[in-house]
Amino acid sequence: MTSPYTRGDSFSGGASREHIKRALVEYGATDVLFSQRENRSAIAFKGDGRQFRIVVPLPQSDGTTVIPRDTAEGPIREAKAKVLERANRRFWHALALSIDAKLAAVGAGVATLELEFLAHVVLPGNRTVIDELEPVIASAYRSGRQPSFD
């Protein structure tokens, strides 16, 4: 059984975002920014001469609809909002833990910032490494052939 602390339920999403920002700044990152568009959130920062952008999908409601004039509509909506808020808290807490682990590895000399956040390095043209590589990797698995990185 996990406690609310280990599930991330005791932290607000805002508190976890603030923790992420503080951890990145303490590491030496600059220009730490958070943004959100529709159901995606992004964290951008600069560090070790590189730009990074982590884009993550936010938890969404289950999409079920409530029948109009349903007398339980209000309580159902409130219950769904609480479930979504709890999912968001867990999500941001898990992301904060993940970033903490990456920064700890960098701080201990186990890895570099670029290695730990390689997928999120912003390349010229404003696309990330993962944006460029995902289709190449998918194609390699479909074809069964080694991709060419010319």
Side-chain angles (χ1 to χ4, degrees), residues 54-148:
I54 303 168
V55 179
V56 290
L58 297 171
Q60 298 296 299
S61 66
D62 64 4
T64 59
T65 58
V66 176
I67 299 168
R69 298 190 195 130
D70 185 345
T71 57
E73 180 177 329
I76 290 173
R77 186 177 298 129
E78 289 175 22
K80 287 181 182 179
K82 285 182 181 179
V83 167
L84 184 58
E85 172 60 25
R86 193 171 178 185
N88 270 294
R89 284 194 278 183
R90 281 193 307 265
F91 171 84
W92 282 106
H93 180 68
L95 184 59
L97 291 173
S98 172
I99 289 172
D100 279 347
K102 289 174 181 294
L103 293 175
V106 173
V110 173
T112 64
L113 190 68
E114 188 172 43
L115 179 61
E116 283 299 311
F117 291 95
L118 183 60
H120 310 291
V121 172
V122 178
L123 301 168
N126 204 31
R127 289 177 48 90
T128 61
V129 169
I130 196 64
D131 292 337
E132 294 292 327
L133 287 181
E134 271 183 326
V136 173
I137 294 168
S139 175
Y141 273 97
R142 278 192 308 273
S143 71
R145 289 192 297 257
Q146 179 73 23
S148 173

Side-chain angles (χ1 to χ4, degrees), residues 17-35:
R17 285 188 295 277
E18 185 57 37
H19 176 87
I20 291 168
K21 182 175 184 176
R22 189 172 47 256
L24 287 167
V25 169
E26 286 175 4
Y27 169 78
T30 61
D31 301 328
V32 180
L33 300 170
F34 289 83
S35 66

